[in-house]
Amino acid sequence: MSNGSNKSALQAEVEKHLEESTPIENAVVNVSALAKILLGSWSGVRKQAREFVKDPALHQTIGLPLEEQRERVLTQMHLLVKNGSVHRGFPIKVGGHDDNGGNIVAFEEMVTADPSLQIKSGVQWGLFGGALVQLGTDRHHYLLPDVMSLKLPGAFAMTEIGHGSDVANLATTATYDPKTKQFDIHTPFAAAHKQFLGNAGMHGQAAVVFAQLITLGVSHGVHAFFVPIRDGNNFLPGVSGEDDGWKGGLNGIDNGTLAFDHVKVPRENLLNRYGDVAEDGTYSSPIPSPGRRFFTMLGTLVQGRVSLDGTSTTAAALGLAIAIRYGNERKQFPSGTGGDQVLLDYQRHQRRLVPKLATVFAQLFAHDELLRKFDAVFSGADDSDESRQDLETLAASLKPLSTWHALETLQECREACGGAGFMAENRLTQLRADLDVYVTFEGDNNVLLQLVSKRLLTDFSDKFKNADAGALAAYVVGRAAEAAYHGTGLRTLAQTIKDFGSTARSVKELRETNVQRELLTDRVEAMVSELASRLRPASKLSKSEAAELFNSQQNELIEAARAHAELLQWEAFTRGIEKIHDAGTYQVVSWLHDVFGLSLIEKHLDWYLIHGRLSPQRAQAITAYIDRLLARLRPHLQDLVDAFGFEQEHLRAPIATGAEAARQAEAAEYYRMLAASGNAPTPEKKAKA
Amino acid sequence: MSNGSNKSALQAEVEKHLEESTPIENAVVNVSALAKILLGSWSGVRKQAREFVKDPALHQTIGLPLEEQRERVLTQMHLLVKNGSVHRGFPIKVGGHDDNGGNIVAFEEMVTADPSLQIKSGVQWGLFGGALVQLGTDRHHYLLPDVMSLKLPGAFAMTEIGHGSDVANLATTATYDPKTKQFDIHTPFAAAHKQFLGNAGMHGQAAVVFAQLITLGVSHGVHAFFVPIRDGNNFLPGVSGEDDGWKGGLNGIDNGTLAFDHVKVPRENLLNRYGDVAEDGTYSSPIPSPGRRFFTMLGTLVQGRVSLDGTSTTAAALGLAIAIRYGNERKQFPSGTGGDQVLLDYQRHQRRLVPKLATVFAQLFAHDELLRKFDAVFSGADDSDESRQDLETLAASLKPLSTWHALETLQECREACGGAGFMAENRLTQLRADLDVYVTFEGDNNVLLQLVSKRLLTDFSDKFKNADAGALAAYVVGRAAEAAYHGTGLRTLAQTIKDFGSTARSVKELRETNVQRELLTDRVEAMVSELASRLRPASKLSKSEAAELFNSQQNELIEAARAHAELLQWEAFTRGIEKIHDAGTYQVVSWLHDVFGLSLIEKHLDWYLIHGRLSPQRAQAITAYIDRLLARLRPHLQDLVDAFGFEQEHLRAPIATGAEAARQAEAAEYYRMLAASGNAPTPEKKAKA
């Protein structure tokens, strides 16, 4: 049997299986029913927010000078205030709605209007306002009405030039003086200057500044302080800063640096929910452990990560809605010259876009679960330590994947639309430029994934917390033996022989949910267990040797976290399709689900082959299966992106309006008329014949 | 043996092999000697061009309004004229130097100044001027002095709205009327309008227009015509157009559309080198076959592809020079808090940047070979049909990989620099935005790779041109049998057993050049042969069925072309390192070469495993080997990017000036002084103890 015909046999088998198992004739997507499911748990708020962002006054204008972009976004912020869009997340007592989930949902939808508007809102009401709510107490909450009304624009001054992801080691100090009852806020050198702060470049009148709290000669770690920074356009005494100027995107936001030269603020400006200083300088905290206190304070940052996960998913969906509409109309060869294929009929075009569409569906379902968890924790319905930690791990897992995926998707969409994709009016390039920084802010993606991998390792060792050392050793040996069994190809051999002559079996199993689950789960567990066993010697090594050992596994740690996050997305997608109740929609979305699951396995095929989880024959079946599913999904792609529910006011891309189809109809009509007139020129070849 | 300890055994073996085989102590890079080699065959011109583009007047200014960007670039173009930078490629008789290779080299170096300036130069002197030189005859060459001096700015009007990559089916017509002795240039519908044309938005006074030449009722296919379009700022009668406005990048160029409503031009305006029309309307051509004539005319486009390959390589090198310098200074944890690791000491950081650095080296060597081939063909030294075809295939192979690689590299560099990478002043985001369109213009990358795959299939079948059908059948069966042998895992088994207990053997072989060559070559050959056998039935199918069969293999066709292009790059790198004569430099660059070769194999590991070319054990050794090579290369990374030869006037990125190291020294000094003063606060934990 040749490899070529092997593949053909595979393809035939895939085709046969699909024919037998799926009622293709009935597969029609109920777009509005699917749209309702995809809107998620806060569908009312989401629809309302989508309706609101149709207002052209909120839309990004390309090419404005820097100051005008910033002014425009500031004006738009006031429109949000007027609309009451910013109140949802604030406490009821200050005029808010205490609706944490709904607040995030409305925030996410702003990305279709202008990512600068979104992120500047996030700085003002999520970070600056959120810090006052979460880290402050009643003595600060009097500020909130002015924060909500934008009378008091503020910055969130955490990041320092010398300390990007390393918040615990911030160098800015806040030293308490019992004599004056003031804190002295000070950035002792350039690396301590606060950097990349939204609202700091121009508009900010105050900042929540993170600094090492020092009182009575003791440093109690990082705390937050309310610090006025400007009076109108002028810095207050002791405060200075620079405007960051042009960035790769988000130029509607005035980012900048802030430096503090012994700036004095009253003792009460300490946001004292988790740590306070009495008039005499005595420090107290409801959380005795400095480490735990620090992580509790940082826990408020999770809101940003949750919202970026949803935002990135919305942006990727928007890009696909534009590119798939265009691909459905655009012909490679013009009307009148034969061939009615549009771009989406080409296999390569499907390969470029459909797995990304499948990922967006997975992300939508995963994000809805994340939102619900976030809402439960922040509303207090379920804010146990464990739930908070789960929320943080979930957000740290999903945010890296979805933010990276948005960039990849917008780029693929732009390329799939050719030169038209490069025109700013078609949205794709600017959206990508604006979202670029999402992969490194609110937690650098690589840093977040390392946090996830540490959690995975902890969970792994927790399994044996109450077991004696012997049980642990036995388990490790057991896993290792199993790994060897997989690893040396022995299982491959067995599977190959089992598969041999039974293509049907290897093909059929791949679409079974349990088989996909097992493959994806197994990879995460095996990777974590391998890492745990490789890192075990660390406890016996010197600090620097242990660091070196960890560093030698850093890449694999991140890959294990990524595998975990992919599994979470796949599981959410698997649960999500159960919400679909009509058969046709269920069928089509199930195909998309399989594309997602099988694409994940295809992406890591080398791992499955090395570890003996898939035979070479079955590995080939995966690619063949995806190819067939792409062809099956082809007629439904427009319905699937229509179910995202965007309207022309959200898309705002000339290539997604039907203009292309109209132009082609005009061309076809011209050639038809020309042929009918008898005036069409003869091609040269025929003339010679 | 556990998988974990298996890996450790592997790592130990890799380490042992490296220790034994490489004189690490002596490995010092001779930066200036390496720099000279990397400058390539036109090192004199390249150095001169680099010196010239240091002039701040040529540098991109971020954030100018659209009109000002365009005016600035136009002014810069006049500086190029004044400097004589644009003459190299033109014929000696009109004041040029007839130096085709040198012309491209100087053009490439402009990317560090401003990609808009580069591409607008390319439009004016490469495309517009080049078409007059290559497709016109003496009767047009009188125009060249004005083209060179920029007295006559022009557009290259090929692409139409409805016909991106499908030049043969352009809809614009040029109909000859023997009575008036004029051509009538006409775009009969919107899809025929010329689109995305540089210089068409504002500055262009004329255009080379590609249109179907029709005379005496016969269409002779696409030809080029010189057509005046503007008088100053106003369109001439019958000409209209729109400004493309803002784009994703390259906003210093005035792109636009052009439409022609029965615009009359004299018969002599036909660029008649490859096809002419006599006064009476009789058509004649030195190339009887319309197909061959068409491809000959299009052959002039190869210049653009050659130059984009070099440009993208230069841009990626620039990005890496910035990111590696920063990674070498930036600390994750600040000075004074312990830990002296800079970003580049982290394994993940090395993984992100070093394989990309290796690819840039491969591209530099491959590009030099491409340039020499281009120069030989265009100078007439070796312009046989075969050489021209080889040149076109080589350019179509390399341009897609290097343009994509530039985007990936600039993005990875931007992320590796965190928030600082997102600041426009650090160059990475704007360079990426400007280069974005390189992947779809001058031949969409996916379309070019399909052309390459067709050439590979033709070469494959040419092997049997003179053989009888029996020989071909025997060969196909032979290959198929071999494929089955690889494919079903039987060879995997054999290799696994051979490897078992002999880690040393599997590790050692991987660094042998011949082993890498065999693996890379084998993959290309096997892919092409598999495709050929799968596509064989096409000849017996109906046209639409054959098209469907081809479409079902489109993705694999493109992947085969990519594999071919990767092999070409690897081969060029392999030849290139032989130019290095000192042992230390040779050693270090050899490690980089191995990173390149092994990374290619690692990227396609699933293929090697499925097809039985690598055992699981050996496959794991590849990753382990790369990890070790990264650590080995670590101390040499700064030298390797220094060898690109950029100076501060090229980098122009504040993060690549040493500012970061200076800030850290300041911080360290502060903490040192603080500790010495005895005023440093005690950490809370210690206070409690």
Side-chain angles (χ1 to χ4, degrees), chain B residues 537-558:
Chain B
S539 57
K540 291 167 208 151
L541 298 174
S542 73
K543 203 175 162 184
S544 72
E545 285 169 331
E548 204 179 310
L549 177 61
F550 263 90
N551 194 34
S552 75
Q553 303 300 325
Q554 190 189 23
N555 203 53
E556 295 248 1
L557 283 164
I558 290 171

Side-chain angles (χ1 to χ4, degrees), chain B residues 84 116 130 184 213 243 286 339 353 359 362 377 395 402 467 488 547 549 552 571 601 613 618 667:
Chain B
S116 283
D184 175 300
L213 188 162
D243 192 313
L353 298 178
T359 305
V377 168
S402 53
T488 57
L549 177 61
S552 75
E571 285 175 339
I601 295 164
R613 263 66 164 184
R618 193 173 293 204

